[in-house]
Amino acid sequence: MSQDLSVVGRPGPRVEGIAKVTGQFTFVDDLAVPGMLTAKILRSTAAHARIRSLDTSRALTHPGVKAVITGKDLPTCYGIMPTGEDEHALAQEKARYVGDAVAAVAAVDEETADEALKLIGIEYEPLPIHMDVASALLGPGEPIHETRRAANVHKAVALEFGDVDAGFAAADYTREDLFFYEGSTHLPLEEHGALAVPEGPDRVTLHSSTQNPHYVHRAVAKVLGLPEGHVRLVAVPVGGGFGGKCDPFPHEIVACKLALITGRPVKITLTREEVFYAHRGRHPVLMWLRGGYRRDGSMTALHFKTMLDGGAHASYGPAAIYYTGALQTVTYRIPAYRFQGLRVFTNKPPCGPKRGHATPQPRFALEVHLDKVAHDLNMDPAKLRLQNLSRPFTMTVNHLRITSNGLRECLETVLRASNYAAKRGRLPYGRGVGLAVSSYMSGAGLPIYWNDMDHSQVFVKADRGGGVTVYTGATEIGQGAHTVHAAIVAEVLGLQTGDITLVTADTAAAPVDLGSYSSRVTFMSGNAALAAARRLRAMIAEASAERLEAAPEELEFREGRVYARSRPDHGLTFREACGLAEARHGNVLASGSYRPPQLGGPYKGSGVGPSPAYSFSAAVIELRVDSETGQIHVERVWLAHDIGKAINPVLARGQVEGSVYMGLGEALMEESAYRKQLLKAPSMLDYKSPTMMEMPDVETFLIESTDPEGPFGAKEVGQGPLLPIAPALANAVYDAVGVRVDEVPITPAKLVKALQSLAAGKGGRVGPERLPGFSYPEPTRVEPPPESYGHPAAADGTDGGVAAHAGQ
Amino acid sequence: MLRLPKFDYVAPPDLAGVLGVLSDRGEGARVIAGGTDLVPNLKRRQFEAAVLVSLHRVDSLRGVHGTHGSGLVIGALTPLDVIANHPHVQEHFRALSEAAGLVATPAIRTRATLAGNLLADTRCNYYDQTEPWRESLGWCMKAQGTICRVAPSSPRCLAVSSCDTAPALIALDARARLASPTGVREIALRELYRDDGIHYLDMARDEVLTEIALPPLGPTRSTYLKLRRRGSFDFPVLGVAARVSRAADGAVADARVVLTGIASRPVEIPEAAKLVGALPSDDAIAEVARAAEQRAKPLDNTDLTIVYRKRMARVYVARALRRCL
Ligand SMILES: Cc1cc2nc3c(=O)[nH]c(=O)nc-3n(C[C@H](O)[C@H](O)[C@H](O)COP(=O)(O)OP(=O)(O)OC[C@H]3O[C@@H](n4cnc5c(N)ncnc54)[C@H](O)[C@@H]3O)c2cc1C
Ligand code: SF4
């Protein structure tokens, strides 16, 4: 099929590209409607405090102020996960972190709203503050949330697959390691914004820069006490999300409430500092692991413990905790696996799903651990990995179903391109190469709230003028959702992406899509679009067949024409064919949908990790270390990513490069650092994230393993390529100067410290020394599934027909 | 977004007009050049200004004049990118072109002026924050409060001098010309700075910096090295300017090492004088570098850790001096 494709697989421009680069693209903050008010949120200056009094009377009488609301006006709780509904749009009886929303003002303009905020009187009664896991666990005094569990424990889980003790007993060699992965934030260029337009007393339209209009829709309706049909959610294309715009946020709910109270449209745009408080960024995670190996390097057992510093709310935490233990098994055949996870509440902005959602941390730990194991066993780290690599069409020990798997090709490709074997251990002092591999999901196999409905639905409509419109709930967040939908539909109908009109992410105009999270859009909404387009094509073919004197299945749709394969010169224009279809069917409208197959093992927590398909990545990093200053200069990154099939290779490469960029930021400098109860650097200048100038050359290889269930074989690319970056960098540092920094970011100061430790004969390691005391629950023992699930392609033990394409 | 407080704005056509407004409007008047330091500070409500007096129409304050043989005069309003790319400055006053070229970002350097850089506010990451942030932490003596949050027992503010061109110009023995409603004075640039994070300048409120003069230095090499997280736009957390002038026989005739980013003013390392009179040697350079490390007393109010920044003073001074040989 693939040589026949005329749009899919080709490097076309983004459909909204010209508008974006010419500044014509509309983001939420560009929206203005007559009579619009501006809202501002008063945020807590206390990190944990009971609100003793809150006086809004002076603010209310300030000229130009139209409404002031507090927690009393929005008493209903919400949260992205049904098991973690612990948030309120405005604080109820207490504030839980600096930046927690406490009250809100709607006024004629931003200055007036700012002035009014200063007139709100508030008295806090301080409560004990917990800023890290150890302190939260010891936690004297009032817990951050009343939970059924100890002190500030949000959730503790434990699972065991197979017989781990037996696995360790069978090992010739075991190794334990401790790691820490610092928290970081998304830093999207666009600050979150929302515009709420009242439509009568009990209806509201919310335009928001959200990745997940469907979940926001539900939360807003719930908190406002309106039927969902009375709330219309329009997700305005987002200027950068990366997971930071996945939760329902106070500013969205507050804008709607103020719009309903005042009867006027209300806009709210967060300041940069407020974006840091909205957060939902990378969890800081402490990790301990123990691996057992045979002399030949094959793994016999793995035991993994994680401790997540969750911040003040559950957010995606109930999933995040499992994600720190879920995907280790997707890259390596681990015969027996024990996982214990803990998430605690702290008085910090809530953590959530940053690109890779709680999997970069364990991936860092595992890949650096393996590098150390290889050194201990005197093995090539690449060979150790090859020895343990997962296989296509198999089940993992924790019941994850792997379909297409191009990991071996990814690994071999970067090893070859980087000349790893010739460089590792052989470059002059101060230069080094490091390797790591990873895997990520093409969409979560289960929805966030339990239900049996579709994950994505798409309508495609053709009209007598030959116009084609795609209606999808999928949200453009810069990743290329629009272009991918246009490409899939254009391919099926023999058109170009520019021929397709898109109506997206509007709950009144498009069917449901669960959202732009967990790398699910191309796979899930793409599959729904493919199904819809094929149905539409069948309708048009059926109507054209008679005129073309051919059977419908004999018709080709290409280059804007419809013709019989046997008589290519005798055909209809697409427009004519649409006219025939309208005459025959009335509406030329087709719908398609996608729901993942039943996935997941027979245990509690098995909902996290399954995906209809996994992407795979491998990276080699070459770098230079200045051993006097500890500064790292990354020279080159080779990254191969098994994307299944690149619908648009330019966009796919953009995602790879963006992921490498973000991974390097976390590996080298980004940190959600605190000073006392305050974020140390809530600004673009002081929160250190790399810029274009710090970006090394990236050589991208798209590996196409053609997934049997993905649209045209496609899998994800938005998040996976971030994962191997931090560990590859840490491993390259070791290769360069012989020290181990077992935590990220690997700052110059830590590197200098490690080098001093090495020089003093003290091992040359910097990293955590122990986990804080905590007794995890006893693991639930789960029997592993048989490795084969009987897919025909698995039988011959090969990796299927995988094609590699070198990137430029 | 963060909004500016309200203020009046005037842009007189000449220096006399500027000085007139400064004397008429008294305390509340403030000069604005490129505004790249002043405006963010106003947005964070670190101080207020009743009127901003812009220099941008005073063309006489722009330009680079003279030669290295006769000495150079640089108008205070000259943009940093002009200085960084000026062939003569690049060749003969390299520390200055390097320092100017390492300030902020290319876009900012086209607006930012030399005077604005030399007079830019001291920095402290307990202070360079919005009002609610500082309220949460507790106010400090640089604005609204009474104690220093970095060092609560300190009698003075320890905010950090963070302008890149000052150490370079001090190493090059620059002089500054100041105009006020009552007259004009010229001083060595080093005398402009005080070791106090609040009163960091020895300058009257109604004075305007008009010119920087660089004396001829004979056969000289100079350089500026800057420590920061990102080469793309960060302030210095340590800056080292070095200058070595040589006599005809190759012996060091004069040497200067000046540090920024480690105190409330640029810090000269007097031990650099020990290089004078002999051919430069690795040992002598190491000794100056050690002295610099001892004199560097960074505090935890900028990016990166104090131990690291102090240690880097030695590494950067040695590297800077080696580049001057
Ligand atoms: C993102 C960012 C990064 C930055 N990075 C750096 C950096 O790396 N290094 C660095 O040194 N700076 C940096 N800066 C600060 C600033 O951009 C520079 O210091 C710049 O040179 C200031 O010049 P200006 O003309 O814009 O000054 P302005 O903001 O106009 O003025 C600064 C101060 O000087 C006073 N002033 C200006 N001209 C005169 C005059 N002729 N007489 C009397 N008083 C005067 C003003 O009243 C004000 O107090 C950065 C700023 C930003 C926003
Ligand atoms: S050094 Fe101390 S007084 Fe000065 S700005 Fe910082 S905290 Fe305030």
Side-chain angles (χ1 to χ4, degrees):
Chain A
M1 167 164 90
S2 69
Q3 63 273 29
D4 266 4
L5 298 176
S6 51
V7 180
V8 163
R10 294 187 190 249
R14 277 172 184 271
V15 293
E16 80 288 6
I18 299 223
K20 271 190 176 154
V21 299
T22 53
Q24 290 167 322
F25 199 71
T26 307
F27 297 99
V28 172
D29 194 48
D30 298 320
L31 300 175
V33 289
M36 188 171 84
L37 301 173
T38 300
K40 280 273 172 191
I41 292 176
L42 180 72
R43 292 183 182 272
S44 173
T45 52
H48 194 198
R50 198 168 304 290
I51 298 171
R52 215 186 279 143
S53 70
L54 189 52
D55 176 6
T56 59
S57 54
R58 284 176 62 218
L60 254 175
T61 53
H62 188 61
V65 170
K66 300 297 174 189
V68 183
I69 55 173
T70 67
K72 287 204 181 70
D73 299 290
L74 292 164
T76 308
C77 71
Y78 66 93
I80 182 72
M81 310 219 35
T83 54
E85 294 197 319
D86 64 0
E87 300 189 49
H88 287 87
L90 297 171
Q92 300 295 301
E93 78 293 0
K94 69 177 188 175
R96 293 187 170 86
Y97 59 98
V98 171
D100 208 353
V102 170
V105 173
V108 288
D109 56 29
E110 201 171 17
E111 262 107 359
T112 310
D114 272 336
E115 286 159 13
L117 289 188
K118 292 205 170 150
L119 299 174
I120 296 175
I122 182 158
E123 275 182 298
Y124 293 110
E125 175 192 328
L127 296 168
I129 296 172
H130 302 297
M131 298 302 285
D132 59 33
V133 172
S135 154
L137 285 175
L138 289 175
E142 182 172 319
I144 296 165
H145 288 279
E146 295 299 337
T147 62
R148 274 164 283 123
R149 300 172 195 90
N152 293 301
V153 171
H154 167 213
K155 200 172 166 76
V157 301
L159 293 165
E160 180 161 339
F161 305 95
D163 190 340
V164 172
D165 290 336
F168 281 121
D172 298 317
Y173 155 86
T174 63
R175 177 178 177 102
E176 292 178 16
D177 283 296
L178 273 159
F179 297 95
F180 176 62
Y181 200 107
E182 180 57 283
S184 58
T185 203
H186 319 81
L187 211 71
L189 273 185
E190 179 208 29
E191 292 98 344
H192 308 46
L195 166 66
V197 182
E199 321 269 2
D202 62 350
R203 297 182 80 101
V204 65
T205 298
L206 173 65
H207 306 260
S208 184
S209 53
T210 177
Q211 299 179 233
N212 289 350
H214 175 63
Y215 298 118
V216 174
H217 186 199
R218 287 164 52 88
V220 167
K222 179 183 177 200
V223 178
L224 296 179
L226 293 176
E228 280 171 48
H230 285 212
V231 177
R232 176 175 173 196
L233 220 295
V234 183
V236 182
V238 167
F242 315 113
K245 294 169 183 165
C246 280
D247 288 64
F249 284 103
H251 68 271
E252 296 172 310
I253 296 166
V254 157
C256 292
K257 184 72 184 175
L258 287 168
L260 289 172
I261 291 175
T262 60
R264 289 171 66 171
V266 173
K267 184 157 93 178
I268 186 161
T269 305
L270 301 190
T271 62
R272 176 55 59 186
E273 184 173 348
E274 287 181 291
V275 174
F276 279 90
Y277 298 138
H279 194 48
R280 320 287 158 156
R282 182 84 67 229
H283 284 79
V285 185
L286 264 165
M287 292 163 284
W288 173 93
L289 79 166
R290 178 163 184 242
Y293 302 84
R294 293 217 173 74
R295 218 156 278 118
D296 67 358
S298 53
M299 199 183 266
T300 61
L302 180 67
H303 184 182
F304 216 99
K305 291 185 194 177
T306 62
M307 290 186 165
L308 292 77
D309 175 349
H313 288 291
S315 182
Y316 283 80
I321 184 172
Y322 284 112
Y323 275 131
T324 61
L327 302 188
Q328 285 87 328
T329 57
V330 181
T331 48
Y332 304 115
R333 298 166 75 192
I334 303 173
Y337 178 46
R338 184 185 296 144
F339 165 64
Q340 291 165 301
L342 163 73
R343 187 177 188 266
V344 301
F345 290 122
T346 51
N347 293 112
K348 304 198 250 187
C351 293
K354 186 182 170 192
R355 204 172 199 167
H357 195 183
T359 70
Q361 300 96 323
R363 183 52 61 184
F364 171 73
L366 181 58
E367 296 295 315
V368 176
H369 165 81
L370 285 175
D371 209 62
K372 297 183 184 192
V373 169
H375 279 274
D376 291 353
L377 296 178
N378 210 2
M379 260 181 103
D380 175 358
K383 191 164 162 266
L384 176 67
R385 287 179 172 83
L386 285 164
Q387 173 79 17
N388 288 290
L389 231 46
S390 64
R391 297 178 186 173
F393 304 103
T394 53
M395 296 296 291
T396 69
V397 72
N398 54 341
H399 294 259
L400 302 180
R401 184 199 69 163
I402 299 173
T403 55
S404 59
N405 179 346
L407 181 54
R408 182 173 295 272
E409 288 66 29
C410 290
L411 183 52
E412 285 168 353
T413 302
V414 291
L415 291 174
R416 206 178 317 116
S418 65
N419 212 0
Y420 179 83
K423 287 178 180 165
R424 187 189 64 89
R426 298 205 173 87
L427 294 173
Y429 179 76
R431 302 181 73 102
V433 287
L435 167 72
V437 308
S438 64
S439 172
Y440 200 66
M441 308 174 300
S442 306
L446 279 87
I448 284 176
Y449 62 98
W450 172 247
N451 72 79
D452 264 337
M453 294 174 277
D454 293 331
H455 289 215
S456 295
Q457 296 167 344
V458 170
F459 302 153
V460 182
K461 184 200 80 175
D463 60 56
R464 58 189 73 177
V468 172
T469 308
V470 177
Y471 301 82
T472 165
T475 312
E476 174 64 54
I477 60 169
Q479 88 280 44
H482 284 176
T483 307
V484 163
H485 281 80
I488 289 173
V489 172
E491 181 65 53
V492 174
L493 299 178
L495 303 172
Q496 292 298 312
T497 53
D499 299 329
I500 310 293
T501 302
L502 290 137
V503 174
T504 65
D506 177 343
T507 56
V512 74
D513 173 73
L514 292 183
S516 284
Y517 68 97
S518 93
S519 276
R520 52 176 299 291
V521 170
T522 294
F523 199 96
M524 299 195 179
S525 192
N527 261 326
L530 181 60
R534 284 185 175 150
R535 282 195 193 123
L536 191 88
R537 179 181 140 132
M539 287 173 83
I540 299 171
E542 192 196 329
S544 313
E546 200 176 317
R547 178 81 62 89
L548 292 171
E549 297 163 337
E553 30 319 326
E554 230 202 293
L555 298 188
E556 288 275 332
F557 284 61
R558 276 189 98 84
E559 289 167 28
R561 291 174 66 246
V562 182
Y563 53 87
R565 213 163 293 134
S566 50
R567 294 178 62 194
D569 48 329
H570 173 75
L572 297 166
T573 64
F574 182 74
R575 183 171 186 271
E576 288 163 347
C578 286
L580 294 175
E582 221 182 297
R584 183 178 184 102
H585 303 290
N587 277 334
V588 189
L589 176 68
S591 70
S593 62
Y594 180 79
R595 198 185 322 162
Q598 285 282 322
L599 298 166
Y603 59 93
K604 187 165 179 292
S606 69
V608 177
S611 173
Y614 296 93
S615 73
F616 295 88
S617 311
V620 170
I621 291 183
E622 183 169 343
L623 51 72
R624 238 179 323 119
V625 173
D626 181 328
S627 60
E628 266 187 315
T629 65
Q631 287 157 0
I632 295 171
H633 179 82
V634 178
E635 308 226 298
R636 205 173 188 84
V637 179
W638 293 266
L639 197 138
H641 182 78
D642 169 18
I643 189 176
K645 165 83 188 167
I647 302 278
N648 180 325
V650 174
L651 291 190
R653 278 199 190 103
Q655 289 298 311
V656 171
E657 286 167 14
S659 294
V660 170
Y661 159 79
M662 209 167 231
L664 286 174
E666 295 181 10
L668 292 169
M669 60 181 89
E670 293 194 33
E671 44 191 333
S672 295
Y674 287 81
R675 171 162 277 156
K676 298 190 177 143
Q677 76 280 19
L678 282 152
L679 259 177
K680 196 169 166 183
S683 77
M684 273 284 197
L685 175 63
D686 292 317
Y687 175 86
K688 303 302 180 190
S689 183
T691 71
M692 205 60 167
M693 301 268 292
E694 282 77 43
M695 223 9 221
D697 284 340
V698 180
E699 226 173 286
T700 299
F701 304 89
L702 298 176
I703 305 296
E704 303 201 314
S705 61
T706 315
D707 190 75
E709 296 178 24
F712 297 97
K715 302 191 285 189
E716 81 86 39
V717 63
Q719 312 193 66
L722 180 148
L723 300 169
I725 298 304
L729 186 124
N731 293 339
V733 165
Y734 177 76
D735 190 44
V737 289
V739 298
R740 290 287 180 188
V741 180
D742 286 340
E743 60 180 60
V744 298
I746 302 178
T747 61
K750 288 179 197 169
L751 205 38
V752 166
K753 205 169 142 202
L755 286 161
Q756 284 172 326
S757 146
L758 186 70
K762 291 184 187 154
R765 174 184 180 267
V766 168
E769 301 294 337
R770 67 192 67 82
L771 294 185
F774 176 73
S775 355
Y776 288 93
E778 272 306 301
T780 314
R781 179 77 180 269
V782 184
E783 275 315 302
E787 197 178 359
S788 164
Y789 61 91
H791 192 281
D796 61 1
T798 68
D799 297 344
V802 175
H805 297 278
Q808 300 299 310
Chain B
M1 63 176 171
L2 281 183
R3 306 206 70 98
L4 278 168
K6 293 200 165 60
F7 49 75
D8 293 339
Y9 175 83
V10 289
D14 52 26
L15 188 59
V18 169
L19 295 174
V21 180
L22 287 176
S23 89
D24 290 352
R25 297 289 299 259
E27 274 301 308
R30 226 180 152 117
V31 169
I32 178 165
T36 61
D37 179 54
L38 193 63
V39 171
N41 295 349
L42 284 171
K43 281 195 152 193
R44 289 188 291 254
R45 313 279 162 142
Q46 287 167 314
F47 45 77
E48 285 184 355
V51 56
L52 294 187
V53 193
S54 173
L55 298 178
H56 87 265
R57 290 175 65 198
V58 189
D59 288 332
S60 60
L61 297 182
R62 278 194 199 91
V64 181
H65 311 282
T67 66
H68 76 284
S70 61
L72 220 56
V73 173
I74 305 176
L77 212 57
T78 310
L80 293 176
D81 73 327
V82 170
I83 296 170
N85 296 315
H86 195 280
H88 205 79
V89 178
Q90 282 179 344
E91 192 173 340
H92 301 289
F93 303 94
R94 183 130 198 108
L96 175 60
S97 70
E98 287 177 348
L102 290 171
V103 172
T105 65
I108 290 177
R109 288 195 294 273
T110 62
R111 267 205 84 76
T113 66
L114 183 60
N117 191 247
L118 292 171
L119 306 179
D121 205 351
T122 53
R123 297 189 68 82
C124 165
N125 59 16
Y126 289 71
Y127 170 72
D128 294 311
Q129 303 280 0
T130 59
E131 235 177 349
W133 194 101
R134 286 180 284 134
E135 186 190 337
S136 173
L137 183 83
W139 308 109
C140 79
M141 70 168 85
K142 193 160 157 90
Q144 284 137 295
T146 51
I147 61 161
C148 171
R149 296 284 161 185
V150 188
S153 59
S154 171
R156 69 168 180 90
C157 165
L158 300 160
V160 183
S161 175
S162 308
C163 41
D164 288 300
T165 61
L169 284 169
I170 292 171
L172 296 168
D173 287 349
R175 296 183 68 75
R177 197 174 240 274
L178 302 155
S180 74
T182 53
V184 170
R185 66 177 174 128
E186 203 187 290
I187 55 167
L189 182 62
R190 66 167 59 82
E191 287 163 23
L192 197 58
Y193 297 102
R194 304 169 41 162
D195 203 12
D196 183 319
I198 296 171
H199 307 289
Y200 61 98
L201 294 172
D202 221 336
M203 206 174 139
R205 190 204 47 77
D206 58 359
E207 276 187 304
V208 172
L209 177 60
T210 56
E211 246 170 46
I212 292 294
L214 288 166
L217 292 174
T220 290
R221 296 181 79 162
S222 66
T223 193
Y224 179 72
L225 295 183
K226 177 170 177 176
L227 172 67
R228 52 176 165 176
R229 211 83 84 104
R230 297 166 299 183
S232 47
F233 74 119
D234 287 332
F235 278 92
V237 288
L238 167 71
V240 175
R243 189 255 293 186
V244 176
S245 302
R246 305 276 200 117
D249 62 356
V252 174
D254 202 357
R256 296 269 194 289
V257 171
V258 188
L259 270 48
T260 193
I262 48 146
S264 296
R265 56 166 296 162
V267 173
E268 292 181 69
I269 306 300
E271 287 81 357
K274 292 188 180 166
L275 297 172
V276 174
L279 291 172
S281 71
D282 283 352
D283 285 350
I285 287 174
E287 204 184 320
V288 182
R290 262 197 309 278
E293 181 175 1
Q294 261 155 28
R295 287 183 185 274
K297 298 205 167 59
L299 286 160
D300 185 22
N301 58 352
T302 70
D303 189 30
L304 300 176
T305 64
I306 10 183
V307 178
Y308 178 72
R309 283 158 58 210
K310 188 169 170 62
R311 192 183 164 84
M312 286 309 108
R314 174 174 5 156
V315 176
Y316 274 62
V317 166
R319 289 184 180 184
L321 282 171
R322 265 185 252 124
R323 275 168 62 134
C324 293
L325 301 183

